Amino acid sequence: MNSQTLITRHDVVMEPDDRRVVIKLFVPGEDAQVGQNRASSLIERILQLDEDETARLLDDVLSRFAGRHHDLMGVFQHHYEVVQHRVPAEIDLSPTARTLIGAYFSHEYSVEAAALCNPSMVAHPDQTDLEPGQLRAAISLRQIGEGHISSVGFCTAVLGPGDALRLEDRGGPLLIGARSGAKHLRQQLSAAMIDADIDNEASAYLISALPEWYTDEEFEDVLVHVPAELLTRLTSQATLDRIRHIVAADYAVTFPATVPMHQRVLWPTTPDESNGMEDARFVQVLDPDGRQSYQATYTAYDGRKISGRVIFSRDLRHFEITALHGPAARNKGMALFPRYVNGRKLALCRSDGETLGLSERDDQHRWQNAVPLLTPHRGWDLIQVGNCGSPIETEAGWLVLTHGVGPMRRYAIGAMLLDLETPERVIADLPEGLLDPDEVEREGYVPNVLYSCGGVLHDGRLWVPYGASDVRVGFASVDLDRLLTRMVPTGY
């Protein structure tokens, strides 16, 4: 493999920054093997402090941490409210004491202290104040911290003119988005119930009683009105509990407009993703009604099993998260097409773990078994192949960045071309790898791996952000015409 004369590596490199921290709830003892909660005894000790000492301690905390977080006092107050049931009812606490208790039940978490990798790139919602030939890009990042917990972060870059690249500032306090009320689609619930093999009279009643779109409150209202005759059946309560868990896995997150994109963090919110949100592949999607949105697939991980999720956003400030369903959604690495193709909602996937395929979503919102597109067949990809983000539309066809895994689990990035009208047909392939780890990039937290979750085309140039061995993010670009010229027709 040698495409070094074809693609340009840029000098701009992002390294993990352990100063990028979020503030989270901390409950002493809950992370111990015994699981003994020590909250009550801690609160008792805090309550023994006199008011002067309480004020002094709170002033000290604020002086140390105030500049590192958005609305630190508000967070402390919220964390106090989470544990205030452990404060004896007869005790009337001062605002200072309540805030200090909240501080003791808080801690900082460095979101990228372990690794920073697997970026994707899309056009930024804000394209103001740019020079001719420039594009502002929003970049999503997989950031990994203590306990190998992955979250989604963002940064911003300006591309062009030509091969110029400038990263914008990543400084300032981070903020985890606030969970907000979600709107659920009845078809999505039906798809989830098919996957979970849920079908009895209680579930059928529930589906029939829900409107096409419903809120969490409307769902609970329908549950309350399930006929008593159905509730007495042995399986009904377990069924309804399972459905409640399915509905709760879909949620929404909102950030204040005053918080810039690079300070926003999508943090694991449900049990299904408690150990991480991995490898978000963002893409701008054009719907049949002409509206644009940002969408991203990612892998939710609970420490034992994985499941697919999709993020929907109009502005990268309000995000709606729902589960993916169907046989093609059971593995990692799904990537959505940026528009419907002849009325079909399509995605790249790797449902068998080693073959890159094409899946279509049916009328029940289930992703069907994939049509194979690319199988491992070259020395550098004999272990497995997959995508490196969503297809990019060009006049020549759908340009797909791929990845292949070879000896010593070495990852490299390649490329292929799909027919615009019939993406099941591979029309060209890059015979050699486009980008593979150099002597610096091969060293890191996960050695010998280059991996991207999506690039962007701007002014005739393909821009590829990529993670290098999970310790840094690099950037490369290639002239689109030169890349297409190097590709060869194939009969796949």
Side-chain angles (χ1 to χ4, degrees):
M1 293 187 301
N2 185 4
S3 295
Q4 302 308 307
T5 60
L6 179 63
I7 195 164
T8 300
R9 278 178 167 89
H10 297 270
D11 293 336
V12 177
V13 177
M14 295 175 58
E15 302 278 357
D17 184 350
D18 53 18
R19 297 170 300 176
R20 291 174 62 80
V21 295
V22 294
I23 186 168
K24 293 178 47 58
L25 179 71
F26 169 66
V27 181
E30 282 198 342
D31 56 353
Q33 288 186 349
V34 177
Q36 179 181 359
N37 188 289
R38 308 200 311 262
S40 293
S41 55
L42 172 58
I43 288 176
E44 288 178 6
R45 292 193 289 271
I46 298 171
L47 293 178
Q48 292 175 8
L49 301 172
D50 61 36
E51 191 64 24
D52 287 344
E53 180 67 0
T54 298
R56 187 192 67 79
L57 285 170
L58 181 59
D59 286 345
D60 181 66
V61 171
L62 294 177
S63 68
R64 294 176 184 270
F65 294 95
R68 294 166 64 91
H69 302 282
H70 292 275
D71 190 19
L72 187 63
M73 293 282 283
V75 174
F76 288 164
Q77 180 62 35
H78 172 67
H79 288 173
Y80 167 75
E81 292 168 356
V82 172
V83 299
Q84 66 176 335
H85 56 275
R86 294 194 179 269
V87 177
E90 66 276 10
I91 296 181
D92 184 21
L93 290 177
S94 68
T96 301
R98 290 196 294 267
T99 306
L100 183 64
I101 290 174
Y104 274 100
F105 283 86
S106 302
H107 76 126
E108 287 187 333
Y109 181 92
S110 180
V111 294
E112 57 190 59
L116 184 70
C117 55
N118 301 356
S120 70
M121 181 184 284
V122 292
H124 197 288
D126 179 12
Q127 295 295 324
T128 60
D129 300 324
L130 295 175
E131 300 296 328
Q134 292 184 328
L135 175 79
R136 181 172 290 113
I139 302 169
S140 71
L141 302 160
R142 179 182 176 186
Q143 44 196 24
I144 306 172
E146 178 186 354
H148 202 81
I149 296 176
S150 299
S151 57
V152 180
F154 299 93
C155 67
T156 302
V158 175
L159 313 179
D163 62 358
L165 167 66
R166 184 183 82 248
L167 279 180
E168 297 192 332
D169 178 51
R170 288 210 301 153
L174 304 184
L175 183 69
I176 295 174
R179 183 164 178 169
S180 57
K183 292 285 286 185
H184 307 278
L185 181 62
R186 185 179 58 206
Q187 281 183 307
Q188 288 275 4
L189 179 57
S190 295
M193 289 164 58
I194 293 172
D195 281 356
D197 197 23
I198 297 174
D199 184 16
N200 58 29
E201 290 311 307
S203 64
Y205 170 85
L206 193 66
I207 286 294
S208 68
L210 286 169
E212 181 182 7
W213 289 93
Y214 59 93
T215 64
D216 294 335
E217 293 76 18
E218 289 169 329
F219 173 76
E220 292 297 330
D221 183 64
V222 170
L223 280 185
V224 168
H225 291 92
V226 174
E229 295 89 340
L230 296 181
L231 291 176
T232 58
R233 300 189 177 198
L234 290 177
T235 59
S236 292
Q237 195 55 57
T239 294
L240 297 179
D241 287 344
R242 291 176 69 192
I243 296 174
R244 181 183 277 113
H245 175 82
I246 290 170
V247 172
D250 295 347
Y251 62 95
V253 167
T254 301
F255 294 87
T258 55
V259 175
M261 185 170 299
H262 67 273
Q263 295 179 9
R264 301 170 191 172
V265 174
L266 294 177
W267 182 260
T269 299
T270 67
D272 290 340
E273 61 189 26
S274 55
N275 271 60
M277 304 169 69
E278 302 179 357
D279 302 346
R281 288 162 160 80
F282 275 86
V283 61
Q284 271 192 294
V285 174
L286 178 66
D287 286 334
D289 63 4
R291 299 186 70 189
Q292 288 270 6
S293 66
Y294 294 94
Q295 297 180 30
T297 55
Y298 70 92
T299 301
Y301 180 53
D302 68 0
R304 296 179 297 108
K305 63 181 186 300
I306 62 171
S307 54
R309 295 288 186 273
V310 61
I311 300 169
F312 176 93
S313 179
R314 295 288 183 195
D315 54 8
L316 298 182
R317 188 174 74 85
H318 176 77
F319 300 84
E320 299 170 11
I321 291 88
T322 58
L324 294 165
H325 305 293
R330 293 171 186 160
N331 210 307
K332 305 178 73 170
M334 181 173 280
L336 301 172
F337 275 63
R339 63 170 174 84
Y340 283 64
V341 180
N342 294 322
R344 299 187 297 159
K345 179 78 170 177
L346 300 176
L348 301 172
C349 65
R350 193 177 62 202
S351 52
D352 69 351
E354 63 181 25
T355 303
L356 178 60
L358 178 75
S359 176
E360 180 177 354
R361 194 183 70 182
D362 66 16
D363 292 339
Q364 294 179 304
H365 279 245
R366 303 183 74 245
W367 291 95
Q368 296 306 297
N369 286 313
V371 175
L373 295 175
L374 180 66
T375 59
H377 67 288
R378 297 163 294 200
W380 61 278
D381 69 7
L382 287 181
I383 292 179
Q384 68 190 46
V385 293
N387 69 74
C388 274
S390 292
I392 298 170
E393 186 169 6
T394 75
E395 292 182 359
W398 293 106
L399 177 62
V400 177
L401 291 174
T402 64
H403 70 263
V405 184
M408 293 295 289
R409 204 180 68 112
R410 187 172 185 263
Y411 278 66
I413 297 174
M416 63 189 298
L417 202 62
L418 309 180
D419 185 83
L420 280 178
E421 298 301 317
T422 310
E424 291 88 345
R425 189 167 72 91
V426 180
I427 58 178
D429 191 15
L430 188 67
E432 70 273 5
L434 179 65
L435 198 64
D436 58 284
D438 65 20
E439 289 305 303
V440 173
E441 293 167 342
R442 67 178 298 182
E443 309 293 354
Y445 186 55
V446 183
N448 305 305
V449 173
L450 286 194
Y451 195 89
S452 177
C453 286
V456 68
L457 187 62
H458 170 58
D459 199 20
R461 196 167 192 86
L462 175 65
W463 293 85
V464 185
Y466 61 92
S469 299
D470 285 13
V471 296
R472 63 187 66 85
V473 171
F475 297 86
S477 68
V478 58
D479 180 86
L480 177 63
D481 289 339
R482 290 189 64 200
L483 173 59
L484 294 176
T485 299
R486 288 281 285 270
M487 300 179 83
V488 297
T490 178
Y492 295 158

